[in-house]
Amino acid sequence: MSARDWGVLFVLCGAIFLEGIDVAMLNVALPSIRSELGLSTGELQWVMSAYVLGYGGFMLLGGRAADLFGRRRMFVFWLTVFLLFSGLGGFATDGWTLIVARFVTGVAAAFMTPAGLSIITTSFEEGPRRDKALLVYSGTAAGGFSIGLVVGGLLTAVDWRWVFFAPVVLSFLVLTAALALLPRSPRPDRTGESVDLAGSVSVTAAIVLLVLGVERASHTGIGWTLGTLAAGLVLLAVFVAVERRSASPLVRLGIFRGGPLVRANLSALLFAGGFFGFQFLVVLYLQELRGWSTLQTSFAMIVIGIDAVLSPTLTPKLVARFGNARVIFGGLLLAALAYALFLPVGADWTYPMMFPSLIILGLAFALAYGPLTIAATDGIEEREQGLAGGLLYTSFQFGAALGLSAVTAVNVAATDGDSPAALLDGYHAALVVPLAAALLAALVSAFGLRSPKGTAVAYGETPARPETAAR
């Protein structure tokens, strides 16, 4: 790639690194935030849930906005919003200020992330150059999350507010680089296209309610959860009806006729659910049962971050040699192996006994995450790249919320008391959830192995056929 290409990629990788490190650092800092601000358990949960709702609920709208209003324009504007409200979180003196700041930060990420991804997919032609760019991009995202676990622990030891101020500094640097390096593009031609307001409102409300129902399932009654999910599904049906009749739909329903895109998004949802659910359980095991400190836990899990090295180095070679679909399938099988190896975890396991699961999971992430990103955007017309990115990240975010809620619910149901034996029983039961998710994801992805090398037919690495352009 040319120096200009690397400059563009540097900016976009900086933004996705920022998003990853922001989430990871906050996870580590939550106990300190609760202690200083005197937050209840419910308020503390909302500090996390608010970001998830903003991020997951507005992602689809954010992806389409990039297509309609300009990718660079959306990226720069929402990066600025991210910077401002991250700073507001650092100055918070009460729970609700922090919750509002996290919600708006999540909304900003929902617009910024698909805009950044679509800049890559439209700046690099489909093929090896785009694949390499996307794998570097996905490796940087993973690196941000892994490094954030350690950096968050270090900053929290000084003052938890630096967990919010550090992203402000990084955001400013990325914003400055974006203004200088991201190429300007002409305003998108929206002749004959109007903003699908009814579709935007209905799908955003539907996704917010669905994510909220899943996110809060383990913290509220069954009636409230079912009611929220039912309302979300009703609004989703309203959205589909609106899109069928709209002359300029927010989401062209014909995009779902492509089996590769659907498979990629389903696999991403299940993979994210298993991955984040497993990490959550490992943190509980190390801190609640073993009594490890936050920093010890962070250093123990940083080995998963090996994917930040492998994604741009090993994965491109494997994709070139075996095809995208086979690499994804292999990554999902490795994830299932990692979870299976951790199933018999004992109360006195040494770190070397945990290490195989963690290192294999890092390899699995390297093989699955980047290629899934390629799979979800290949063969999609340029004018819909933002939408494709929004769909993918909605799948990841909803999957993460679903996985966290499922493992929490199973863990709570299977834990009878607070003795070490009871806690361990809860972990053993909940660890089945990530394993089941990984196996189901592998099953879904297996349907993409029909082509000779598991590439073009399997995951849409050929241009979309003319008929798929019809609504």
Side-chain angles (χ1 to χ4, degrees):
M1 294 189 289
S2 67
R4 182 182 182 86
D5 290 337
W6 280 112
V8 171
L9 189 57
F10 170 78
V11 171
L12 301 174
C13 284
I16 198 66
F17 179 85
L18 168 69
E19 191 274 330
I21 200 172
D22 175 81
V23 173
M25 289 194 302
L26 180 63
N27 287 342
V28 174
L30 284 175
S32 298
I33 294 173
R34 175 176 185 167
S35 176
E36 181 170 330
L37 297 185
L39 303 183
S40 66
T41 301
E43 287 176 316
L44 192 68
Q45 173 67 27
W46 272 109
V47 172
M48 292 299 299
S49 297
Y51 184 87
V52 171
L53 288 178
Y55 197 2
F58 287 81
M59 184 71 72
L60 201 56
L61 180 58
R64 188 57 179 150
D67 293 330
L68 290 176
F69 303 110
R71 299 177 179 100
R72 183 183 186 274
R73 183 175 293 106
M74 288 290 99
F75 179 82
V76 169
F77 175 79
W78 288 103
L79 177 57
T80 304
V81 175
F82 189 99
L83 182 158
L84 294 174
F85 279 85
S86 185
L88 177 62
F91 288 112
T93 57
D94 59 78
W96 283 108
T97 302
L98 189 57
I99 290 169
V100 170
R102 291 307 293 169
F103 177 76
V104 179
T105 303
V107 173
F111 281 81
M112 178 181 71
T113 304
L117 177 60
S118 63
I119 290 173
I120 291 180
T121 55
T122 55
S123 298
F124 298 87
E125 70 271 13
E126 192 170 314
R129 288 179 72 249
R130 183 192 290 181
D131 292 354
K132 181 176 182 179
L134 287 174
L135 291 171
V136 171
Y137 182 74
S138 62
T140 306
F145 188 82
S146 301
I147 293 172
L149 291 173
V150 177
V151 174
L154 295 173
L155 291 177
T156 302
V158 178
D159 189 331
W160 65 263
R161 295 183 186 277
W162 277 104
V163 166
F164 294 92
F165 294 146
V168 171
V169 176
L170 183 56
S171 299
F172 180 77
L173 294 175
V174 174
L175 180 60
T176 302
L179 293 173
L181 297 175
L182 290 187
R184 294 183 179 274
S185 56
R187 182 182 293 270
D189 182 9
R190 300 197 302 272
T191 303
E193 291 192 51
S194 57
V195 177
D196 181 13
L197 185 59
S200 301
V201 171
S202 58
V203 74
T204 300
I207 294 175
V208 166
L209 286 173
L210 290 173
V211 172
L212 179 63
V214 169
E215 180 75 9
R216 303 291 296 173
S218 59
H219 305 280
T220 58
I222 186 67
W224 188 95
T225 298
L226 292 177
T228 304
L229 293 176
L233 291 174
V234 169
L235 282 172
L236 200 58
V238 171
F239 167 71
V240 172
V242 168
E243 298 306 276
R244 287 184 180 278
R245 293 170 173 77
S246 175
S248 301
L250 176 72
V251 177
R252 182 179 60 82
L253 298 181
I255 199 171
F256 295 108
R257 294 174 187 166
L261 179 140
V262 173
R263 277 194 299 274
N265 278 273
L266 282 176
S267 297
L269 184 149
L270 291 165
F271 177 68
F275 182 80
F276 285 99
F278 177 78
Q279 284 201 339
F280 178 71
L281 290 173
V282 172
V283 169
L284 290 182
Y285 166 74
L286 293 177
Q287 295 190 5
E288 288 189 347
L289 183 62
R290 305 300 300 277
W292 289 24
S293 69
T294 298
L295 204 54
Q296 285 176 312
T297 302
S298 300
F299 276 114
M301 297 182 65
I302 197 173
V303 66
I304 299 176
I306 192 175
D307 58 339
V309 177
L310 297 179
S311 288
T313 55
L314 175 64
T315 308
K317 296 176 182 178
L318 294 177
V319 169
R321 174 69 178 84
F322 299 105
N324 207 29
R326 290 182 179 178
V327 174
I328 292 171
F329 183 68
L332 295 174
L333 288 181
L334 282 176
L337 174 62
Y339 305 145
L341 290 175
F342 209 85
L343 275 178
V345 62
D348 58 351
W349 265 29
T350 62
Y351 184 66
M353 298 174 74
M354 309 174 208
F355 186 80
S357 287
L358 301 179
I359 192 72
I360 291 173
L361 185 57
L363 177 59
F365 197 96
L367 297 185
Y369 183 69
L372 280 171
T373 305
I374 297 171
T377 54
D378 269 351
I380 305 298
E381 293 184 20
E382 180 173 331
R383 64 188 180 87
E384 291 186 321
Q385 282 293 331
L387 171 61
L391 287 170
L392 176 66
Y393 284 116
T394 298
S395 297
F396 274 125
Q397 194 66 26
F398 188 70
L402 186 62
L404 288 168
S405 178
V407 298
T408 300
V410 173
N411 182 40
V412 170
T415 303
D416 185 16
D418 56 2
S419 68
L423 293 176
L424 199 58
D425 287 342
Y427 301 146
H428 284 155
L431 282 167
V432 175
V433 175
L435 177 59
L439 290 174
L440 186 55
L443 178 63
V444 171
S445 72
F447 288 96
L449 299 175
R450 292 171 294 175
S451 64
K453 296 188 76 173
T455 54
V457 174
Y459 276 105
E461 294 175 8
T462 55
R465 283 182 271 178
E467 61 264 32
T468 64
R471 193 163 61 85

